Each structure stands twice: as structure tokens, then as C-alpha cells.
Amino acid sequence: NAGVTQTPKFRILKIGQSMTLQCAQDMNHNYMYWYRQDPGMGLKLIYYSVGAGITDKGEVPNGYNVSRSTTEDFPLRLELAAPSQTSVYFCATGGANTGELFFGEGSRLTVL
Amino acid sequence: DAKTTQPNSMESNEEEPVHLPCNHSTISGTDYIHWYRQLPSQGPEYVIHGLTSNVNNRMASLAIAEDRKSSTLILHRATLRDAAVYYCILRGWGKLQFGAGTQVVVTP
């Protein structure tokens, strides 16, 4: 089992470009989350999903979009990249709403 | 959403126990208390979680106050590899938000 797979691991974007960060899980978990972590700071919730077809905003959703068409995948879309979106992005999944979360290795994004 | 409050940092000598406090006075009856840690340049990893009773696993122990408004993560014998940021979070329905965490420094 791969667990939680994030791609790409590293990416440099120019201002105004668009891209999608991929998150895939093979644990059949209903709950999936996207976080961003700026240097020296804690994790901030961007979007989350409690099941296929259901998504909701977290603390910092502006500038991002998500979709959850399958249980396995939860892509995060940046439409018009800005320098403020330079960060490390983590995807996480969980089964029952009380159990442990599993995190991906992160995707480091730089917007220049 | 229920929030947690943790000290910014704590220091410990190697091989000594570390007690990490967390306050969560607005916890709801269905929220589970989770602890995660994040080593430098890595994603968070699960440490332990519980609802009402104290919990033990190979990594740590979790002591939960009777009124559930606070909890303490106990690392029994700190090693240099335990140096990390430790996050106390509440998991219920939906949102799962991290606070600033506690930076644990372990001195040889």
C-alpha cells in the first residue's frame, strides 16, 4: 500500500500560472484534507472533504479550489498563482471521524 | 470550532520524561483529543489519541482530565529523535484545525 501520495513534490510557478496538486490515497478513507504550511508556522486548513462529492472550506480557501469525484483522489487547484501561495502543501486522510490521520510527504510550491 | 492552547516551547534533557500540556476548555462531548508531531522537513505523524480514558502506546501516554478540558502528552524518556513540534488537536465531525503547537527541544 502506498498510503497517501502527493504529486509533484516540488514545483516552481510564475505569477498568474495555474496548476493542480494531486493527492491520492489507497486506504478507502472518507475524510481528506488539504493544509498549507508557511516557513516556521503551523498548518492551516485550506479545504476538506468528508466523502466523495462533498467538499467544504477551511480557514484559508481563497485562491484555491478542490473537487472530490472519487474516494481516492482529492486534487487542489491553484488558478492564478500568487507569491503569497508559496508554501508547503500537505494532504491528509482519515477513516472514521475519530481515528488517526495519515499525511502525505508534502508538495513544496514556489511562486516567483 | 473548539480550539486548543499549548505552550510555545519546552526543553528537556535526554532520557528524562516530558509532559506536554494542552488546554481545550470548549471541547464538545464527541471530540477526540489527538496528538501529532512534526519533525523538521517532514509531514505530521500521528502520536496518540483518546476520548475520556488515559491511553498508552509505544510512543507515548495521554492523560485526560476528568472534565476533559485539558490533557497532557507524556513522553516517558525523551531522546534526541523526539525533538519536534507537537500538536494537540480536537477531532470531531469535519474540520480538523491545527494550532501553533509546542516546540520540544531535547538536550543531550
Side-chain angles (χ1 to χ4, degrees):
Chain A
N1 287 345
V4 182
T5 303
Q6 289 186 236
T7 55
K9 287 186 170 45
F10 301 94
R11 182 73 185 268
I12 298 175
L13 282 181
K14 294 183 179 178
I15 294 172
Q17 286 186 318
S18 300
M19 76 159 298
T20 299
L21 299 177
Q22 302 290 346
C23 177
Q25 53 110 350
D26 61 2
M27 294 179 283
N28 201 33
H29 286 165
N30 285 327
Y31 294 77
M32 296 189 75
Y33 305 83
W34 273 109
Y35 295 91
R36 60 175 286 173
Q37 186 173 36
D38 299 335
M41 306 295 285
L43 286 82
K44 292 196 179 297
L45 181 63
I46 306 171
Y47 271 95
Y48 67 102
S49 170
V50 301
I54 305 169
T55 62
D56 209 343
K57 297 178 180 179
E59 303 170 82
V60 290
N62 291 343
Y64 307 94
N65 279 300
V66 293
S67 60
R68 185 92 184 273
S69 56
T70 66
T71 298
E72 294 77 20
D73 300 297
F74 191 41
L76 178 70
R77 177 86 177 156
L78 286 72
E79 289 295 346
L80 292 170
S84 61
Q85 293 176 305
T86 294
S87 191
V88 180
Y89 292 82
F90 290 102
C91 176
T93 76
N97 65 344
T98 57
E100 67 180 279
L101 292 190
F102 298 84
F103 282 81
E105 294 182 347
S107 296
R108 185 176 298 273
L109 176 66
T110 302
V111 182
L112 301 174
Chain B
D1 296 319
K3 301 288 187 193
T4 62
T5 304
Q6 299 177 252
N8 290 334
S9 64
M10 294 191 73
E11 289 191 31
S12 175
N13 294 321
E14 199 174 10
E15 309 262 315
E16 290 185 354
V18 182
H19 290 242
L20 301 176
C22 181
N23 288 321
H24 28 79
S25 59
T26 59
I27 189 171
S28 73
T30 55
D31 285 339
Y32 277 69
I33 301 159
H34 282 236
W35 283 84
Y36 291 79
R37 72 179 188 180
Q38 187 175 24
L39 280 66
S41 300
Q42 295 188 24
E45 66 173 342
Y46 169 81
V47 177
I48 200 167
H49 78 284
L51 182 63
T52 56
S53 302
N54 294 345
V55 185
N56 300 295
N57 66 20
R58 64 175 180 81
M59 289 183 70
S61 295
L62 175 60
I64 301 172
E66 196 167 333
D67 63 6
R68 300 209 328 124
K69 294 185 176 182
S70 65
S71 60
T72 301
L73 178 71
I74 303 163
L75 307 177
H76 294 288
R77 291 177 67 221
T79 70
L80 296 179
R81 287 174 295 178
D82 291 323
V85 178
Y86 287 76
Y87 297 98
C88 166
I89 56 179
L90 303 179
R91 187 166 190 214
W93 173 261
K95 288 186 182 182
L96 185 61
Q97 298 185 180
F98 283 70
T102 297
Q103 175 71 61
V104 171
V105 176
V106 181
T107 306

